[in-house]
Amino acid sequence: MAWDGLSDEQREIRELVRSLARERIAPRAAEIDKRGEFPWDMVELMREHELLALPYEEAYGGTGTGTLTVLVAIEEISKVCATTGLILAVQELGSLGIKLAGSEEQKERWLPRLACGEWLAAYALTEAGSGSDSAAMRTEARLVGDEYVLSGSKRFITNAGVANVYVVFAKTDPSAGHSGISAFVVPSDASGFEVGRLEPKMGIKGSTTGELFFNECRIPADNLLGEEGEGFKIAMRILDRSRPGVAAQGLGLAQGATDYALDYAKSRETMGKPIAEHQLIAGMLADMETKCEAARGVLYKVGAMIDEDAPPEEITKISAMAKLLCTDVAMEVTTDAVQILGGYGYIQEYPLERMMRDAKITQIYEGTNQIQRLVIAREMLKENRAFLLAGVG
Ligand SMILES: Cc1cc2nc3c(=O)[nH]c(=O)nc-3n(C[C@H](O)[C@H](O)[C@H](O)COP(=O)(O)OP(=O)(O)OC[C@H]3O[C@@H](n4cnc5c(N)ncnc54)[C@H](O)[C@@H]3O)c2cc1C
């Protein structure tokens, strides 16, 4: 075991992903951003090299290499292209409902085709009127014979229009608040399912973000995940496990930007020396590297905790911390990296303005960073901590 906490196998996978990122993904990143088209060639590349199999157990056609390995892969890919890193992160996000709450039969029905990359997955919680307050959702599902009939809509769904299976949350008992929500798998060919407009946006432009409509959409009753009324708990358990994926995307952006700025600062000269030798620039580089290293420590810790089946409440807290820290670091560090390049940081010929635009979303999706702070504080308040200064006057 090395100091980074990775096993030899994990380091080998990191090397494979790093070289694919450098040789095959990095050369496509600017074009993916410019054209704003979903990069199917990157999906194909990940299929070929079994990267889409990383989130799954061997029994379902996956590599069985665990969560920490998935995080390392997302980090490496996001160093060069956050849109491509997101494809792997959302494959995990969209599959977690089936992995955590699906029956054996449901896992066998869907996971192998996701693990081989034939299918892509999506997670549909957000609606136009309910983002942070997800329990305020209005989409409903009612059981009619041996089918559920869904009506309503979702908004801002990553992989809209490219996913084959959508894990969708809807109210089966609208009067029961959180406990009236249930989780379903909706295949893209279900009758009454429709993808609406795709949003033009600031960053991660190759990723689709769109509306979903359920117009009396019919799915078999056995597409219900878990029991009726368990949907909210399932949605939150999924987020506990998926937020580290967004954290890994943020960390990848931050480290990629640091590496690029360092390289640039060594060769760009002003006032007779490389800018890296001006102390104000050297200090910025040192801060950027330190923030990345600290963020990586928390991220790898949560990956190891998930792999070692740590208690759920501990995962909730550290997962929110990893998301908060890594993505705040992503925004700070990419902004500083643009500054280090001066005017060259601001123009599209160089990758840093793209990285700064891509970093912003990591502070917003899968729960904004305000929401992460609320989650962390709530967990702190639940803990029964000994107060060392008790009794001190
Ligand atoms: C590109 C993109 C991809 C996305 N992908 C997905 C996806 O795949 N699946 C999915 O379900 N959703 C997805 N989302 C939705 C995303 O998770 C939500 O946008 C996000 O959770 C915030 O919800 P909102 O936009 O409704 O903001 P709001 O909830 O309206 O929040 C507005 C502001 O108020 C703050 N706020 C809200 N409540 C509180 C509070 N109690 N205390 C303090 N501050 C608060 C928020 O932090 C934010 O700053 C995506 C969004 C985008 C833009």
Side-chain angles (χ1 to χ4, degrees), residues 86 90 93 122-133 154-159 167 169 199 201 203-204 207-210 361 363-371 374:
L86 185 61
V90 175
L93 167 70
Y123 171 89
L125 181 67
T126 304
E127 299 183 2
S130 71
S132 305
D133 185 8
K154 296 284 169 184
R155 190 149 193 214
F156 293 158
I157 306 307
T158 303
N159 278 0
V167 169
F169 298 86
E199 308 287 350
K201 53 192 186 295
I204 53 159
S207 172
T208 63
T209 310
I361 188 60
Q363 294 181 303
I364 296 172
Y365 54 21
E366 293 195 33
T368 64
N369 283 4
Q370 282 84 2
I371 297 301
L374 294 182

Side-chain angles (χ1 to χ4, degrees), residues 180-200:
I181 296 172
S182 304
F184 302 92
V185 175
V186 177
S188 55
D189 59 2
S191 86
F193 173 77
E194 198 189 323
V195 175
R197 127 192 160 108
L198 302 181
E199 308 287 350

Side-chain angles (χ1 to χ4, degrees), residues 30-39 201 204-208:
E31 203 186 345
I32 291 170
D33 177 62
K34 194 169 170 199
R35 296 173 77 89
E37 284 170 7
F38 186 76
K201 53 192 186 295
I204 53 159
K205 286 176 180 260
S207 172
T208 63

Side-chain angles (χ1 to χ4, degrees), residues 243-310:
R243 283 175 177 154
V246 175
Q249 188 193 24
L251 175 60
L253 278 160
Q255 189 67 64
T258 302
D259 295 349
Y260 196 92
L262 173 66
D263 207 48
Y264 183 87
K266 287 194 286 193
S267 59
R268 175 74 173 176
E269 294 196 2
T270 67
M271 290 127 201
K273 57 183 177 185
I275 58 169
E277 291 177 23
H278 294 304
Q279 288 184 349
L280 292 176
I281 297 292
M284 283 172 84
L285 287 166
D287 285 347
M288 290 156 71
E289 181 85 340
T290 305
K291 287 175 187 175
C292 288
E293 195 62 30
R296 185 171 298 108
V298 179
L299 179 68
Y300 286 15
K301 179 174 174 181
V302 67
M305 284 172 70
I306 292 172
D307 287 339
E308 284 165 28
D309 269 332

Side-chain angles (χ1 to χ4, degrees), residues 40-332:
W40 284 108
D41 58 330
M42 295 292 105
V43 174
E44 189 50 44
L45 181 76
M46 289 197 278
R47 272 183 197 139
E48 258 174 51
H49 294 272
E50 292 196 322
L51 300 190
L52 291 170
L54 289 173
Y56 306 93
E57 289 172 29
E58 281 177 284
Y60 306 108
T63 56
T65 41
T67 301
L68 178 54
T69 310
V70 178
L71 299 178
V72 169
I74 297 170
E75 177 191 350
E76 289 302 323
I77 298 170
S78 302
K79 281 181 183 173
V80 301
C81 180
T83 289
T84 306
L86 185 61
I87 294 171
L88 179 54
V90 175
Q91 191 73 343
E92 166 82 326
L93 167 70
S95 303
L96 272 166
I98 303 168
K99 293 197 316 182
L100 294 172
S103 65
E104 198 44 48
E105 183 279 320
Q106 289 175 322
K107 289 180 188 174
E108 279 164 18
R109 195 163 10 137
W110 291 303
L111 296 184
R113 295 175 84 173
L114 291 164
C116 71
E118 181 189 343
W119 282 352
L120 295 179
Y123 171 89
L125 181 67
T126 304
E127 299 183 2
S130 71
S132 305
D133 185 8
S134 49
M137 70 176 63
R138 299 178 65 169
T139 298
E140 290 185 15
R142 55 183 208 284
L143 189 60
V144 181
D146 57 0
E147 290 180 323
Y148 277 101
V149 180
L150 276 69
S151 50
S153 63
K154 296 284 169 184
R155 190 149 193 214
F156 293 158
I157 306 307
T158 303
N159 278 0
V162 299
N164 306 79
V165 287
Y166 295 78
V167 169
V168 176
F169 298 86
K171 287 196 166 161
T172 38
D173 181 355
S175 61
H178 292 90
S179 18
I181 296 172
S182 304
F184 302 92
V185 175
V186 177
S188 55
D189 59 2
S191 86
F193 173 77
E194 198 189 323
V195 175
R197 127 192 160 108
L198 302 181
E199 308 287 350
K201 53 192 186 295
M202 176 191 288
I204 53 159
K205 286 176 180 260
S207 172
T208 63
T209 310
E211 283 174 305
L212 308 179
F213 294 110
F214 306 93
N215 306 314
E216 297 287 294
C217 168
R218 292 176 174 272
I219 54 169
D222 65 3
N223 283 20
L224 171 73
L225 293 172
E227 302 290 325
E228 273 196 19
E230 287 182 352
F232 190 77
K233 275 193 198 142
I234 295 172
M236 296 305 122
R237 279 176 69 205
I238 293 172
L239 291 175
D240 281 349
R241 305 277 177 138
S242 66
R243 283 175 177 154
V246 175
Q249 188 193 24
L251 175 60
L253 278 160
Q255 189 67 64
T258 302
D259 295 349
Y260 196 92
L262 173 66
D263 207 48
Y264 183 87
K266 287 194 286 193
S267 59
R268 175 74 173 176
E269 294 196 2
T270 67
M271 290 127 201
K273 57 183 177 185
I275 58 169
E277 291 177 23
H278 294 304
Q279 288 184 349
L280 292 176
I281 297 292
M284 283 172 84
L285 287 166
D287 285 347
M288 290 156 71
E289 181 85 340
T290 305
K291 287 175 187 175
C292 288
E293 195 62 30
R296 185 171 298 108
V298 179
L299 179 68
Y300 286 15
K301 179 174 174 181
V302 67
M305 284 172 70
I306 292 172
D307 287 339
E308 284 165 28
D309 269 332
E313 61 285 0
E314 288 183 28
I315 292 177
T316 300
K317 184 178 168 197
I318 189 101
S319 159
M321 290 167 117
K323 201 274 185 183
L324 172 64
L325 180 62
C326 291
T327 64
D328 278 357
V329 162
M331 199 65 243
E332 290 163 19

